[in-house]
Amino acid sequence: MHPRPRETKLAIKKNGILNEVFRSGSCQRFDLARRLNINATMMGNYVEELISAGLLVEGDPAAASRGRAPLHLNPQRGCFLGIDFEALRARGILCDFAGEVLERKEVSFRNNISRENVLNRILKLAKELADRADRPLLSIGIAAPGQVDCESGRVLHYRLLSDFDQVPLRDRFEQAFETALFVEDNIRALAYAELLRGSGKGSRNFLCLAVRSGIGLGIVIDGKLYSGSNSMAGEVGYLVFNTTQGPQLATDLVSAKGFVDSTLKLINTQKMTTGRKQLLDKEEVTLADIISVAEAGDDVLLEQLKQLGKHLGMLTANLANLFAPEKIVLAGEVPNCSLVVRQQMERTFRQYTLPQILTTVYLEDGSLGGFAGALGAAWMGFTRIFPVDEETLIQQAKEKQQAKHLTTKV
Amino acid sequence: MHPRPRETKLAIKKNGILNEVFRSGSCQRFDLARRLNINATMMGNYVEELISAGLLVEGDPAAASRGRAPLHLNPQRGCFLGIDFEALRARGILCDFAGEVLERKEVSFRNNISRENVLNRILKLAKELADRADRPLLSIGIAAPGQVDCESGRVLHYRLLSDFDQVPLRDRFEQAFETALFVEDNIRALAYAELLRGSGKGSRNFLCLAVRSGIGLGIVIDGKLYSGSNSMAGEVGYLVFNTTQGPQLATDLVSAKGFVDSTLKLINTQKMTTGRKQLLDKEEVTLADIISVAEAGDDVLLEQLKQLGKHLGMLTANLANLFAPEKIVLAGEVPNCSLVVRQQMERTFRQYTLPQILTTVYLEDGSLGGFAGALGAAWMGFTRIFPVDEETLIQQAKEKQQAKHLTTKV
DNA sequence: CTTACTCGTTATGATATTATAATAAGATAC
DNA sequence: GTATCTTATTATAATATCATAACGAGTAAG
C-alpha cells in the first residue's frame, strides 16, 4: 500500500551518490562519505552494490594518491540526449552516462519557418543523434523557448516563431521515441548546465541571464533550480518599465530582436545617412549590422548601443538587488555584442547595485558556449532518472507498481 | 574531533519534531511520523524523550478522536522576545514556548529622533517586556529596518532615521542581556511570521511585499526564507526604473515617504488650491493627508494616487513574472491606504502579469497586522535554538564544546 | 447492535547504520 | 632513512531504525 520508507531512503542515498559522482566526475569512497555525510563503512557497501549493478566503475589506481582507485560512472551504462532550439536554430547533444559529450549537431532554420517544419527538423535532429548511440538511450530532454509548461510538455507561447502556441512537444516526441521524455525551459536547462560544470559550479545561489533573440532568466537557489508555480518563474522578458515612451517590456528594450526593431523605428524619425540607408535597405537587419554602422561613426546608433548597455545594466542591477546572488552568469550574444554595450552595462550595473551587495555579486560570462542549453537538457536526464527528492522517488515507485499491476492483469 | 554524525542526525530529527509541533500547534504522534517521514515506533520513542525532557506535553485526551492525547509544546518551558522597529515606532512581543503571545507593547517615536534615543527606547522596551517574563527567556530577536547585516548584527544604513549607519544593534543588546540574541531584516521577520501562522501558511513559495515608510520584500522559497549572500536579498526599494523623470528608485515611487515627497514637489509646480495650500502649510504631511485632499475632489492628487496604484501594480506584476509565486502577501499601510490606489494596483497587476502566471498568483493582505514583524522575530528564536540544518547544528555543537573546554581550563 | 473496518499506538524480531579500532600505505618531520 | 602523522579503507561490536504484527478504541455498514 504505502511506499516503503526503507527502500525510498536507500534509493535517495544511492541516487545521491550517483549524482555526486556525476557532478565531480571522479572521486574516492571517502570523499563521497564526507560530502554526503554518510558513514564510510556504509559508503563502501553502497559503492560495492553500485559497482556490481554496473553503474559505477573503478578507474586508474595510479590516479589515487592513497587508498583504492577513484570511482567513475560507467560510461557504457547508457547515454542521454538533449535538444535545444529557438527561433534561428536547434542544437543537439548526445552524452554518455558520465555526461561526456559523444556527439553534437546544430541545424539552422530559415526565416519564417513554419511550426510544422520546426517540429520536423528537431525530431529529425533527435533521431539522427539517437541513431548514433551505441549504448542504451536513457532519456531525451527538450529545452524549449518561450513560455513552457513542463507538466504537459508543451510550449504555451513563443513570440519568435510563427504560430507557436500550445505546441505539444512531448506528445510529438512520444510518437517517435520509446525513451523517457521531458520538456524544460531552455534558459533553465542552460542554467543547469552552468551549475553543474560551468560558471556556476560551486555556487549555491546564482542567476543565469540569457539575452539573445529573446531574454530569459534561470534562477539557482540553494544549489537547485527554482521553477516557481507552473514552472513559470524567470519570465524576465515580461518585466515592465514605465519609460519616457510609456510602459515597455524588458524584452523590447534589451533583446536582440527588440533592440533592432526599436532602433529601426528610431532611424525613421531621424535624418537619413548612407549607413542608415544601407540598414533600411536590408531585408533582415541584425544586431551586428547596427553595430558595424555605429562603430563606423554613427553617433545616433552609438547612443542607442549605450542605451542598450544601460538597460542591461539596470536589469542586472535590479536582479542583483532582489536576489543578492553570488554571481550573475551571462549567456547569449547580446551582452558581448560590442565593447560599448558591455562596458556601459558593467558601469550601470555597478552604479545601481547596492554597495553592500556589490561586494559579493559580479557579472560573469557563461563558460559552456552555444551548446549549454542542449547540454543542460541532456544532463538533466541523469537527475530525472536518479532523483534525490522523496516525492519524485515515491512517484517513480508508484508508476512502477502500476506497470506491474497492469502486466499481471494482462 | 569531528562532530558525531549520530548525535547530529538525532538532534536534527528531534528539532524537526519540535519545529513541526511549533508550526501546527498540536498534533498526534502518528501525524508527526507521517509528516516527517519517520517510523511510528521511533516517533513514539522520540516523543517520550522530548516529554521527559520537559519540551513536549500531552494535552486534553478528549481532543483526540483516537489514540493518545495530542501533543503540545510545554508553554512553561520558556519564552521568546521579538522587537521590531522602524522610523516611527517600535513594537515588542513576548511569546511562550509554543509561540502564543504573552505580552505586547508599542511605543511611538517623535520626528527626527536621534540614533541614541532610538537605541535607548528599544532597549527599554525589550527590558520592560523581558521583566514581565515568568519563565526563562530563551532568545531575543530584533527585526531591524534598512540594510541589515545579520552576521554582525548591525544596521548598515537606514534612510528614514537620521545618522543611522553602522549601528551595532546586537552589541548594544549584548551589554544589557545575557540571552541569545540575533538581528534580522524586519521584512524577512514579517514574512516568517506570515509563513508560520499568517497568510503564507501552507505555501511553499510566496513573496511578502511590505510598503510603508520604506519598502521591502521577503522571499519564501521551498518553505524557507531566502536571504541571498550577505543576507541582503529582497532590496526591492533599490530597483531602478528609467522613467520620464530619468532613473528612479522604486522606494521613491511607491513608499509612503517617497510618494509624499514627490507629490509635494509636484504641487509646487501646479496652481494652488485651498486643499493643496493646507497641505503645504503642515509641518509634516502624511499619506493620509494627501488622500483626504484628493478624495475631496482634487483631480491632480487623485491622478497621483492612480499613479501610485499603477506603480504598485507594475512592481507586483514584475515580481510575479520573476518568481511565479503562489501569492504575494501585502503588508504595510500603503497598499490599502485608499480604494483608488488598491483598485488601480490590482488592475495594473493583472494587466502586466503573464496570463499563465496569473492563473495561480494573486495579491493577498497579510493577516497578522502591525505586530507581524515582532512576532516573526520572536518566533524565529525557536528555530534558532532548535535548528534543523546540519551546519547550524554542527556550529552549535562546536560552540558548546569550546565553552566546556574553557570552563575546564579555568 | 453487531460486525468489519480504520486509525493511532506499541512490542518484537530483522535489518541498517554507526562508533571504534585495526590495517595499510603515502606524506612529513627530523 | 626512520619515526610519526595523515588518509582511505575495512572488520567488528554496539546501537538505531524499520517492518510487521498485535492491540485497543473509535466508526461505518448492515
Side-chain angles (χ1 to χ4, degrees):
Chain A
M1 191 94 269
H2 270 278
R4 300 286 139 76
R6 186 165 272 176
E7 282 171 33
T8 312
K9 285 180 182 176
L10 182 63
I12 286 176
K13 277 176 190 162
K14 287 197 181 174
N15 288 355
I17 294 169
L18 292 173
N19 275 281
E20 184 56 39
V21 179
F22 189 81
R23 281 191 182 221
S24 56
S26 148
C27 49
Q28 287 186 282
R29 289 159 177 77
F30 196 71
D31 297 326
L32 290 170
R34 199 171 22 196
R35 279 185 227 154
L36 301 175
N37 197 22
I38 293 177
N39 187 280
T41 310
M42 291 312 297
M43 186 56 75
N45 298 346
Y46 291 149
V47 165
E48 190 143 336
E49 284 171 44
L50 291 170
I51 287 177
S52 57
L55 293 161
L56 290 180
V57 287
E58 286 198 344
D60 178 19
S65 67
R66 258 178 271 240
R68 297 178 60 168
L71 300 159
H72 300 273
L73 289 168
N74 175 9
Q76 297 299 328
R77 176 61 194 240
C79 60
F80 302 95
L81 181 56
I83 300 287
D84 177 28
F85 73 99
E86 35 117 354
L88 304 173
R89 64 187 69 81
R91 287 169 169 136
I93 285 274
L94 187 74
C95 71
D96 69 18
F97 197 64
E100 295 303 313
V101 175
L102 295 170
E103 304 277 349
R104 74 175 73 202
K105 177 153 192 194
E106 172 170 350
V107 296
S108 294
F109 299 152
R110 64 162 201 286
N111 263 326
N112 300 318
I113 184 170
S114 75
R115 161 184 168 141
E116 219 29 50
N117 277 337
V118 168
L119 287 171
N120 287 334
R121 294 291 295 279
I122 60 176
L123 267 165
K124 195 178 151 216
L125 174 62
K127 271 187 203 154
E128 240 181 274
L129 286 168
D131 281 344
R132 293 193 221 161
D134 59 346
R135 54 202 92 181
L137 180 58
L138 300 174
S139 82
I140 302 177
I142 305 157
Q147 298 166 35
V148 179
D149 181 356
C150 304
E151 194 83 20
S152 70
R154 291 184 306 177
V155 174
L156 298 173
H157 175 63
Y158 180 44
R159 306 190 338 153
L160 304 178
L161 279 175
S162 65
D163 189 27
F164 226 73
D165 293 287
Q166 303 288 337
V167 184
L169 276 177
R170 196 173 57 205
D171 289 351
R172 284 294 289 266
F173 270 74
E174 266 171 358
Q175 289 163 19
F177 292 94
E178 291 285 303
T179 321
L181 270 163
F182 61 91
V183 174
E184 182 56 90
D185 176 274
N186 60 358
I187 311 298
R188 270 204 290 276
L190 192 157
Y192 188 71
E194 293 287 352
L195 167 66
L196 247 63
R197 305 191 187 181
S199 299
K201 194 174 173 179
S203 300
R204 290 197 68 72
N205 302 301
F206 72 93
L207 302 175
C208 199
L209 181 67
V211 190
R212 36 194 191 194
S213 319
I215 69 175
L217 182 73
I219 302 168
V220 174
I221 283 179
D222 235 18
K224 290 200 307 262
L225 277 177
Y226 171 70
S227 299
S229 323
N230 295 351
S231 66
M232 291 293 287
E235 287 295 349
V236 73
Y238 292 87
L239 294 198
V240 62
F241 300 94
N242 208 359
T243 68
T244 333
Q245 281 88 43
Q248 284 209 294
L249 296 183
T251 186
D252 293 327
L253 291 173
V254 303
S255 75
K257 182 155 168 48
F259 176 74
V260 169
D261 289 353
S262 66
T263 303
L264 291 181
K265 216 179 276 174
L266 175 78
I267 289 180
N268 275 318
T269 68
Q270 303 269 322
K271 84 175 193 303
M272 232 6 98
T273 64
T274 336
R276 293 174 199 166
K277 207 165 189 176
Q278 277 173 2
L279 277 184
L280 290 179
D281 285 348
K282 290 207 175 189
E283 197 190 333
E284 193 74 26
V285 182
T286 67
L287 182 56
D289 296 331
I290 293 176
I291 290 168
S292 70
V293 176
E295 286 177 348
D298 190 317
D299 287 346
V300 173
L301 291 183
L302 210 60
E303 184 53 36
Q304 272 290 102
L305 287 182
K306 277 193 189 162
Q307 275 298 322
L308 174 60
K310 227 176 236 174
H311 284 138
L312 282 170
M314 284 191 185
L315 183 60
T316 43
N318 284 350
L319 292 174
N321 286 333
L322 264 187
F323 287 93
E326 288 163 40
K327 57 176 77 169
I328 298 180
V329 174
L330 301 173
E333 71 273 12
V334 178
N336 286 308
C337 64
S338 119
L339 205 59
V340 179
V341 171
R342 185 54 183 265
Q343 283 180 341
Q344 185 62 54
M345 177 181 180
E346 286 274 359
R347 213 173 302 136
T348 312
F349 169 72
R350 288 177 180 283
Q351 184 182 351
Y352 290 111
T353 302
L354 270 181
Q356 188 62 22
I357 291 178
L358 206 52
T359 57
T360 54
V361 70
Y362 56 98
L363 304 179
E364 181 176 345
D365 289 309
S367 60
L368 295 175
F371 277 84
L375 271 173
W379 290 344
M380 269 185 183
F382 197 92
T383 26
R384 293 226 167 207
I385 295 184
F386 302 104
V388 288
D389 60 308
E390 245 164 71
E391 289 150 52
T392 319
L393 258 161
I394 290 173
Q395 190 68 24
Q396 257 188 13
K398 273 184 192 164
E399 276 165 22
K400 259 186 204 168
Q401 222 167 37
Q402 271 184 8
K404 242 186 226 169
H405 219 69
L406 284 174
T407 46
T408 43
K409 266 192 178 172
V410 174
Chain B
M1 191 93 267
H2 270 280
R4 302 283 140 76
R6 186 166 271 175
E7 281 171 34
T8 312
K9 286 180 181 175
L10 181 64
I12 287 177
K13 277 176 191 163
K14 286 196 182 173
N15 288 355
I17 294 169
L18 292 174
N19 274 282
E20 184 57 39
V21 180
F22 190 80
R23 280 192 182 221
S24 55
S26 147
C27 50
Q28 288 186 282
R29 289 158 176 78
F30 196 71
D31 296 327
L32 289 170
R34 198 171 23 195
R35 279 184 226 155
L36 300 175
N37 198 23
I38 292 177
N39 187 280
T41 311
M42 291 313 298
M43 186 56 75
N45 298 345
Y46 293 148
V47 165
E48 190 145 334
E49 284 171 43
L50 290 170
I51 286 177
S52 57
L55 293 161
L56 291 180
V57 288
E58 286 198 343
D60 178 19
S65 67
R66 256 178 275 240
R68 296 177 60 169
L71 300 160
H72 299 273
L73 289 168
N74 175 8
Q76 296 299 327
R77 176 63 194 239
C79 60
F80 301 95
L81 180 56
I83 301 286
D84 177 28
F85 73 99
E86 33 116 356
L88 303 174
R89 63 187 69 81
R91 287 169 170 138
I93 286 272
L94 187 75
C95 71
D96 68 18
F97 197 66
E100 295 303 313
V101 175
L102 295 171
E103 305 276 349
R104 73 175 73 204
K105 177 155 191 194
E106 173 169 351
V107 296
S108 295
F109 298 151
R110 64 160 202 286
N111 263 329
N112 299 318
I113 184 171
S114 76
R115 163 184 167 141
E116 219 28 51
N117 277 338
V118 169
L119 287 172
N120 287 334
R121 294 290 296 278
I122 60 176
L123 266 166
K124 194 177 151 214
L125 174 63
K127 271 188 205 155
E128 241 182 272
L129 287 168
D131 281 345
R132 291 193 220 159
D134 59 345
R135 54 202 93 180
L137 180 57
L138 301 173
S139 82
I140 302 176
I142 305 158
Q147 297 165 37
V148 179
D149 181 356
C150 304
E151 195 84 19
S152 69
R154 290 185 306 175
V155 174
L156 298 172
H157 175 63
Y158 181 43
R159 304 186 346 149
L160 303 178
L161 280 174
S162 64
D163 189 27
F164 226 73
D165 293 287
Q166 302 289 335
V167 184
L169 275 176
R170 197 174 56 205
D171 289 352
R172 284 295 290 266
F173 271 74
E174 266 170 359
Q175 289 165 19
F177 292 94
E178 291 285 304
T179 321
L181 272 164
F182 61 92
V183 174
E184 183 54 92
D185 176 273
N186 60 359
I187 312 297
R188 270 204 290 276
L190 193 158
Y192 188 71
E194 293 287 351
L195 167 66
L196 246 63
R197 304 189 187 182
S199 300
K201 194 173 173 179
S203 300
R204 291 198 67 74
N205 302 301
F206 73 93
L207 302 175
C208 199
L209 181 67
V211 190
R212 35 193 191 192
S213 319
I215 69 175
L217 182 73
I219 303 167
V220 174
I221 283 178
D222 234 16
K224 288 201 307 265
L225 277 177
Y226 171 71
S227 298
S229 323
N230 295 351
S231 67
M232 291 293 286
E235 288 294 350
V236 73
Y238 292 86
L239 294 197
V240 61
F241 299 94
N242 208 357
T243 68
T244 332
Q245 281 88 43
Q248 285 207 293
L249 296 182
T251 187
D252 293 327
L253 292 172
V254 303
S255 75
K257 182 155 167 49
F259 177 73
V260 169
D261 289 353
S262 66
T263 302
L264 290 181
K265 216 180 276 174
L266 175 78
I267 289 179
N268 274 318
T269 68
Q270 302 269 322
K271 85 176 196 300
M272 227 15 93
T273 66
T274 336
R276 293 175 199 166
K277 209 166 190 176
Q278 277 173 1
L279 278 184
L280 292 179
D281 284 349
K282 290 209 176 187
E283 197 188 335
E284 193 72 26
V285 181
T286 67
L287 181 56
D289 296 332
I290 293 176
I291 290 169
S292 71
V293 177
E295 287 178 346
D298 189 318
D299 286 345
V300 172
L301 292 182
L302 210 60
E303 183 54 36
Q304 272 291 100
L305 288 181
K306 275 192 189 164
Q307 276 298 322
L308 174 60
K310 229 176 232 173
H311 283 138
L312 282 169
M314 283 191 185
L315 182 59
T316 43
N318 284 350
L319 292 173
N321 286 332
L322 265 187
F323 287 93
E326 288 163 41
K327 58 176 78 168
I328 298 180
V329 174
L330 300 173
E333 72 273 12
V334 178
N336 286 306
C337 64
S338 119
L339 205 59
V340 179
V341 172
R342 184 54 184 265
Q343 283 180 342
Q344 184 63 55
M345 176 181 180
E346 286 274 2
R347 214 174 301 137
T348 312
F349 169 72
R350 289 177 178 284
Q351 184 182 352
Y352 290 110
T353 302
L354 270 180
Q356 188 64 20
I357 291 179
L358 206 52
T359 57
T360 54
V361 70
Y362 56 97
L363 303 179
E364 181 176 344
D365 289 309
S367 60
L368 295 176
F371 277 83
L375 271 173
W379 290 345
M380 270 184 182
F382 197 92
T383 26
R384 294 228 165 204
I385 295 184
F386 302 104
V388 289
D389 60 308
E390 245 164 68
E391 289 150 52
T392 318
L393 258 162
I394 290 172
Q395 189 68 23
Q396 256 188 12
K398 273 185 192 166
E399 276 165 24
K400 259 187 203 167
Q401 221 167 36
Q402 271 185 8
K404 241 186 226 171
H405 220 68
L406 283 174
T407 47
T408 43
K409 267 192 178 173
V410 173

